Every structure is written in C-alpha cells, then in structure tokens.
C-alpha cells in the first residue's frame, strides 16, 4: 500500500474545474463526456475534429491523458475542451502503476460524474472501462483503434505472449461489460472481439473506417518529380517494419543512387521492440537514412516525398499516418495485414507487401523509384480513395449518431 501511495504522490493528477452544462440544447440531451487517451498529443493529432463535434453539439467535454502537455492543453482549450492528467504507463505491465491508473481514473470519474466515457487504445479501454463501471458511469462507448501487439501473430508467438493475450482477453471482457457500443476499425479486430467473446451481444460491434482524415487540413500537394523520396512515419518500433525498410532501402539505393529514404517519428520506450538512437545514428552515418526527428505538423514532409511506406507488422487499426499520406496524394506501400490493407487497392493507389518480407518490399519500392509518373498517378488515386472512404467528417457523423450525441 505504501508503494502504491508513493506512486500516486509522484504522479500528480491535474483536474480542471467542472463547468456548468451549456444551455444550447435541451437539458435532457446535454451530456458530460470524458474522452480517455494513452498519449495526450493524440487528443489533438487524431481526435480534435471529434472533440469539436461533441462541443458544437452542446456537450461538456473533458479530455484525459498522461502527459501534461502545454500545447495540447492550449489547443483543447481553444475549442472549449477541458483537460485532466492521470498517470498511465503506455507500455509494459506494472501492477502498482496499473492500479494507480485505475484508482486515478475512478477518482476523476467520481468527481466529474460524466454521462458518457469514450476510451481509445488498449490501456484506456481496459482501465478506463473498468474504472467507469466502478464509478457508475451509465454510458461507455469504446474506440478500438487496434487490439494491441499481443493480438498480432508476432505478439502471441511465445508462451509469455500467449499468457499475456489470455489476460488481455479477460481484461477486455471486464472493460466491455455493459458497453453501449464497441467501434472497431477493421474486420479482423471485430472478428477477434467476437471469437474471444469480449462482448456478450455481437450487435454492439460497429465497424468504422478508422479515425478518418481532415481532407482540407491534409490538402493535396503535387509530389516532387526529380528523384525518388520515400518516407516512413511511425513510432520508432521494430514492429512498424523499420528494419525491413532500412534493408529494402539498401537494395533500392544500389539501383537508384539518388533515391532518398526518410523516417519521421519519436523514440518509443519499449525496451524490446523500440529502435535505439544508436541504430538511427548508424544508418544516418552510413548515408542511407535521413532522420527527420519528430514534428507537430507532418504535412511539409508528406509534400516532400513521392511514396509513403509503412511496412508494419504491428496489429494496426487503420494507421492514421497512411490516411494523411493518402489525403496529401501519395502512393502507398504497406503490408497485407488487417488495417494496413484497408488503405490500398493493389496496383491502383499503391502496393501491398507481405509483412517482414524484405524482397517483396524492395520490389515495390524499386518499381516506384523507377517510374515516378506512376507514383504520381497512384497518389492521385490515393486522394480519391481518401475522399470517398476516409473523410473525418463522415466518420464522425457515424460516431456521433451511434453514441446518441447529435444535437436535436
């Protein structure tokens, strides 16, 4: 108990004051909503339009994340969303830390007394779902942006992985109990939810095309036509296919010496699958890689490439980075796994390659490096597909309607 108390003391919880409900809609329709994340910046990077819609409909919204990021607070405040910080380790299993997260969430929810809780990503779904049940929150709607690494083929390949997967299934069942709706980003995740009986009523599962993309914000930009420029945007995890990308780059560079290979993303603390700074520096020193670091705005970098590459074998929902690249108008090379494959019509707007298959990846990259007009044409098709299928406003219409949050 002393260890638990010490953990809470060193991971402060910041809670904004509770504001009165607005008078822009009938009292019986106004709701207090809490949106739970595992990475504070994702609230503005991926959920900003959804949060805007909730506020515009007349609801009071509090967004929750583990980092007390000043930029995130400011951006949320500008659209009328409050922010609360709770302790949450994004990776790993630590019973003390995880109990502290559930306890902090329970305290926050008891204070705010929301009508609705909306968690997304694995830990907020599990811990937020459990805390919301104990706090007596009546409505709980879950955004399954991906079930997590343990549900991938690689994640459950070991005995430890299979044990963790069974524990995760048990926890998901507890979190989803009494859910109003469980949104899944692809059919594979929905199938796993059904197969493992995570929900008792399968009619509660609703498939949506990812988080969507703001087509105006990620406006079309003509690709460069003078040389091949490949770009990978992701957290620096091996599961994102970074090692395969580097090896494929070596092969492409042999045929096209003027080709450039870029990586944009932040380092991940995962001690097993994280790519180290030393690895990145080695590839930079080799003259193979242009490491772009991290950024709050990926658009200039998307505009500077011809081809977007994400050879991920991570258990993705629908990768937001691919949707942004499609919206800007870039040819896509990604894997044939669920989630990633939902973004590509093979031979039309890009290529699907087998996960962890460097030969397959290199062939696709060589094809586009040697035919930049084809890459540009595929980029136009990507933009058209983003407009037809992944418009964030259309996706949010589905979410708002199913969560019964639309203004009358």
């Amino acid at each position: 108990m002393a260890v638990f108390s010490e953990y809470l003391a060193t991971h402060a919880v910041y809670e904004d004051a509770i504001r009165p409900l607005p008078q822009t809609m009938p009292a019986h329709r106004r709701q207090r909503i809490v949106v739970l994340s595992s990475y504070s910046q994702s609230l503005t990077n991926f959920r900003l339009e959804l949060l805007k819609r909730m506020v515009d409909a007349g609801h009071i919204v509090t967004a929750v994340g583990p980092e007390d990021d000043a930029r995130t607070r400011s951006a949320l405040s500008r659209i009328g969303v409050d922010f609360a910080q709770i302790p949450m380790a994004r990776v790993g299993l630590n019973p003390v830390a995880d109990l502290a997260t559930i306890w902090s969430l329970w305290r926050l929810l008891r204070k705010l007394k929301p009508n609705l809780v909306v968690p997304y990503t694995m830990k907020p779904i599990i811990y937020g779902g459990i805390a919301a049940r104990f706090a007596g929150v009546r409505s709980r709607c879950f955004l399954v942006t991906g079930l997590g690494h343990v549900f991938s083929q690689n994640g459950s390949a070991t005995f430890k992985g299979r044990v963790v997967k069974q524990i995760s299934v048990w926890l998901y069942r507890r979190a989803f109990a009494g859910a109003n709706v469980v949104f899944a980003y692809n059919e594979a995740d929905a199938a796993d939810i059904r197969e493992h009986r995570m929900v008792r009523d399968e009619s509660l599962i609703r498939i949506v095309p990812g988080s969507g993309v703001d087509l105006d914000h990620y406006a079309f930009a003509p690709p460069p036509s003078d040389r091949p420029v490949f770009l990978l945007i992701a957290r620096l995890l091996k599961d994102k296919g970074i090692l395969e990308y580097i090896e494929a780059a070596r092969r492409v560079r042999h045929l096209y010496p003027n080709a450039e290979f870029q990586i944009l993303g932040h380092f991940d603390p995962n001690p097993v699958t994280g790519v180290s700074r030393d690895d990145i520096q080695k590839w930079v020193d080799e003259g193979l890689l242009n490491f772009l670091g991290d950024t709050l705005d990926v658009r200039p970098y998307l505009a500077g490439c011809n081809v977007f590459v994400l050879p991920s074998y991570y258990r993705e929902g629908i990768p937001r980075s691919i949707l942004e690249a499609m919206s800007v108008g870039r040819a896509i090379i990604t894997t044939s796994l669920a989630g990633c494959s939902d973004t590509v019509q093979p031979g039309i707007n890009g290529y699907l390659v087998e996960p962890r298959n460097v030969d397959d990846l290199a062939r696709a990259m060589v094809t586009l490096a040697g035919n930049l007009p084809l890459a540009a044409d595929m980029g136009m098709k990507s933009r058209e597909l983003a407009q037809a299928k992944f418009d964030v406003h259309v996706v949010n219409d589905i979410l708002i309607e199913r969560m019964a949050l639309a203004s009358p």
Side-chain angles (χ1 to χ4, degrees), residues 238-251:
K238 295 172 186 175
D239 293 359
K240 296 290 185 176
I242 291 176
L243 301 185
E244 289 77 10
Y245 176 69
I246 292 297
E247 182 55 37
R250 286 195 178 95
R251 301 184 189 186

Side-chain angles (χ1 to χ4, degrees), residues 254-329:
H254 181 72
L255 296 174
Y256 297 95
N258 66 333
E260 182 177 351
F261 307 92
Q262 304 174 344
I263 291 180
L264 174 68
H266 61 268
F267 289 94
D268 193 279
N270 191 305
V272 177
T273 63
V275 175
S276 72
R277 295 179 185 274
D278 288 343
D279 286 334
I280 292 291
Q281 191 59 52
K282 177 182 66 176
W283 298 326
V284 171
D285 292 343
E286 186 182 337
L288 182 64
L289 175 66
N290 181 6
F291 180 56
L292 304 174
D294 199 5
T295 183
L296 295 174
D297 187 358
V298 301
R299 292 174 296 174
Y301 303 98
L302 289 172
C305 76
N306 329 89
V307 182
F308 184 82
V309 185
L310 185 64
S312 175
Y313 50 94
Y314 190 85
R315 183 62 181 264
E316 306 280 358
I318 292 183
R320 177 63 178 263
S321 59
I322 296 182
L323 299 185
E324 293 167 353
M326 292 171 64
S327 185
V328 172

